[in-house]
Amino acid sequence: MSAPVEVVLSTDSAGQLFNCAVFDPHSGSEFLSYRGGNTSSRSLTVLNGEYILGAQLGKNFINVWEIQRKDQLQQKIVCPGIVTCLCASPDGLYVLAGIAEAIYLWEMSTGNLLAILSRHYQDVSCICFTDDSSHFVSGGKDNLALIWNLSSVVQLDSSRTPEPRHILSRHSLPITDIHCGLMGPQARVATASLDQTVKVWEVSSGEMLLSVLFDVGIMSVTFDPCEYFLFCGGSDGNIFQVSLCSTSLSRDKTFQTDSDGNQVFKGHRNLVTCLSVSMDGTLLLSGSNDETVRMWDVQSKQCIWSINHKGPVTNAVIIPAPANMFLADSHPSVPLPRFSRHLNPSEQGDGTGPGGMCLRLGADTQGLEGTYLEKADELYSLMCAVTDKSVFGDGENTKVRVSELEEEVKTLKKINKDLYEFSTQLLTKPS
């Protein structure tokens, strides 16, 4: 059988059979499973098509599996606190994690912690990148959704505190889910909330385009790829389909079923925790606290298949099948680096391990104590100053001091040369 075009990933809070499983979206048959622990809600992500990352429920670490190896002991990334949400950028360069009320941003090539964003006042509940990785949106229990420009967060000037591009403050209760559409900075983003509304916003302007009021709290939300419909998972187990092509020009609406596309999917017996739509827009995937994952035909609103889990479903998503998921001989092109837990790892004792070295390239990343070359220049300046004073001071003592300084300068310059050669070898070493 040829490899599928799309696959389903799902996790539950029990983790008895597996942590994460891979299913066929058309038949529901299981392809692969990854064992060890369990993954919290909004905390499952695929990194660069090579790794699966899932934040451990209630713990301060992230489980990692190489995507093509099902029989393996997962790696662990230790974090500064319990991860409440997790997301990898589509280009595979960055990973975002919500830890309490802060957002942590890591660079994948180095594992360096680039930024800690503390603009939420309560726990961050969900986070999502735009499809081009240029922006990301965070939502929290403080009722706020923040739109961030990635380039302004990953900035060279460390003295400036990154600020969100837009603050979306129209919700009155905690935000439960976020979904970004296509088109990068021109995309639309949907936010769901316990205040029984789903709101659609424009990323570029931060303007609210639509607000839909329901009679229950909304726990999950997604668009179809063409953005004809908005799918909203309710706390009562119903899934509401909202038409975005209605002739009505009203910005604030109350949901009602009608012949224009506003319909309800019925089948779950408990709140709907996650939603995802296939690339062609014909299939809708849902996960629920009733311990089932269901696949729906969007046109007929009928359930195609249902898979029972051993606990409430925390994540369920349809993704394009990674190229090497079913190739047993393939390996990640780049090994996963060690994640730093501090903005300045060398100062916090968070380096690369015993005998390791933290290379900090770039003017903006130099520590306060300076490089070896800077120390050598400083000593040389001091030596010259002492030499100039020798006319007025004790000549013999000055000669001794000058000799000592010359030896220190030679030693430091040799160390600096060795360090430079070592760093050059690391940077030019093939993957």
Side-chain angles (χ1 to χ4, degrees):
M1 184 185 71
S2 61
V5 176
E6 293 179 290
V7 293
V8 170
L9 299 182
S10 70
T11 65
D12 61 55
S13 61
Q16 294 181 14
L17 301 178
F18 47 74
N19 185 315
C20 174
V22 182
F23 300 98
D24 186 334
H26 299 286
S27 66
S29 58
E30 182 178 324
F31 287 138
L32 299 167
S33 62
Y34 304 87
R35 303 181 185 278
N38 50 8
T39 299
S40 59
S41 182
R42 311 276 179 260
S43 297
L44 180 71
T45 188
V46 176
L47 175 62
N48 203 30
E50 297 181 327
Y51 295 96
I52 294 178
L53 279 63
Q56 176 66 27
L57 181 63
K59 302 292 184 180
N60 67 328
F61 61 85
I62 299 169
N63 295 310
V64 183
W65 300 267
E66 293 180 13
I67 203 164
Q68 82 288 356
R69 296 174 57 203
K70 62 176 182 177
D71 298 323
Q72 60 177 309
L73 293 175
Q74 75 273 31
Q75 304 176 52
K76 288 181 171 60
I77 298 173
V78 179
C79 299
I82 296 175
V83 178
T84 56
C85 53
L86 183 69
C87 183
S89 63
D91 59 15
L93 298 181
Y94 303 96
V95 167
L96 287 168
I99 300 177
E101 72 280 357
I103 301 169
Y104 285 66
L105 173 66
W106 283 279
E107 183 181 41
M108 288 313 304
S109 60
T110 62
N112 288 342
L113 179 60
L114 300 183
I116 301 176
L117 309 174
S118 300
R119 282 303 307 269
H120 283 282
Y121 304 105
Q122 296 185 42
D123 288 358
V124 182
S125 55
C126 44
I127 199 161
C128 181
F129 269 101
T130 55
D131 64 320
D132 68 343
S133 304
S134 66
H135 292 72
F136 61 90
V137 187
S138 61
K141 293 183 178 180
D142 55 2
N143 315 341
L144 296 177
L146 308 179
I147 299 177
W148 301 84
N149 187 328
L150 183 62
S151 63
S152 69
V153 174
V154 186
Q155 57 185 332
L156 298 180
D157 187 0
S158 59
S159 64
R160 295 176 54 191
T161 301
E163 293 291 332
R165 181 175 179 180
H166 301 293
I167 299 176
L168 315 180
S169 58
R170 301 285 290 273
H171 285 290
S172 58
L173 285 175
I175 291 174
T176 54
D177 196 16
I178 289 174
H179 179 76
C180 289
L182 303 178
M183 298 297 290
Q186 301 300 319
R188 293 183 289 183
V189 59
T191 57
S193 172
L194 293 178
D195 64 8
Q196 303 184 359
T197 68
V198 170
K199 301 183 189 298
V200 179
W201 315 78
E202 190 175 56
V203 170
S204 59
S205 66
E207 180 184 0
M208 190 185 77
L209 305 176
L210 177 67
S211 178
V212 184
L213 176 64
F214 300 86
D215 57 2
V216 295
I218 302 299
M219 311 306 298
S220 52
V221 65
T222 191
F223 292 120
D224 70 314
C226 294
E227 298 186 12
Y228 291 150
F229 298 110
L230 182 68
F231 298 96
C232 312
S235 58
D236 61 351
N238 288 332
I239 302 171
F240 306 97
Q241 175 184 291
V242 180
S243 173
L244 298 177
C245 301
S246 173
T247 56
S248 173
L249 299 179
S250 174
R251 181 174 297 185
D252 296 285
K253 298 181 179 180
T254 299
F255 178 82
Q256 293 180 339
T257 57
D258 55 33
S259 59
D260 292 334
N262 293 337
Q263 301 293 328
V264 180
F265 296 74
K266 295 181 178 291
H268 284 298
R269 301 183 305 276
N270 206 327
L271 60 87
V272 179
T273 54
C274 39
L275 293 170
S276 183
V277 181
S278 62
M279 287 189 291
D280 61 4
T282 62
L283 299 176
L284 172 66
L285 180 72
S286 61
S288 170
N289 271 6
D290 65 7
E291 303 183 4
T292 65
V293 171
R294 293 176 179 265
M295 185 68 77
W296 307 82
D297 178 71
V298 172
Q299 183 67 29
S300 66
K301 311 295 183 294
Q302 297 300 309
C303 180
I304 300 173
W305 52 256
S306 176
I307 297 175
N308 293 322
H309 285 245
K310 294 296 184 180
V313 177
T314 52
N315 298 275
V317 60
I318 303 174
I319 64 168
N324 61 348
M325 175 174 273
F326 301 99
L327 301 177
D329 296 333
S330 64
H331 296 281
S333 57
V334 179
L336 197 69
R338 177 176 177 178
F339 276 37
S340 171
R341 284 178 286 169
H342 305 282
L343 284 174
N344 297 313
S346 61
E347 284 86 347
Q348 300 291 341
D350 194 25
T352 56
M357 182 177 297
C358 178
L359 296 178
R360 307 182 65 192
L361 305 179
D364 62 300
T365 58
Q366 295 296 341
L368 295 176
E369 54 188 27
T371 65
Y372 285 109
L373 187 59
E374 290 171 346
K375 289 182 177 179
D377 290 339
E378 182 180 346
L379 283 172
Y380 181 77
S381 299
L382 179 60
M383 180 184 70
C384 293
V386 173
T387 304
D388 292 340
K389 293 178 181 178
S390 63
V391 178
F392 306 98
D394 186 345
E396 191 64 33
N397 290 337
T398 301
K399 290 179 181 179
V400 173
R401 179 58 179 157
V402 169
S403 177
E404 292 175 352
L405 288 173
E406 285 177 339
E407 290 299 322
E408 289 188 35
V409 169
K410 290 179 181 179
T411 302
L412 286 170
K413 285 190 174 181
K414 183 179 184 302
I415 293 174
N416 184 69
K417 180 181 178 182
D418 293 341
L419 177 62
Y420 177 79
E421 291 177 352
F422 178 67
S423 63
T424 304
Q425 292 174 4
L426 286 180
L427 293 174
T428 58
K429 184 178 179 181
S431 301

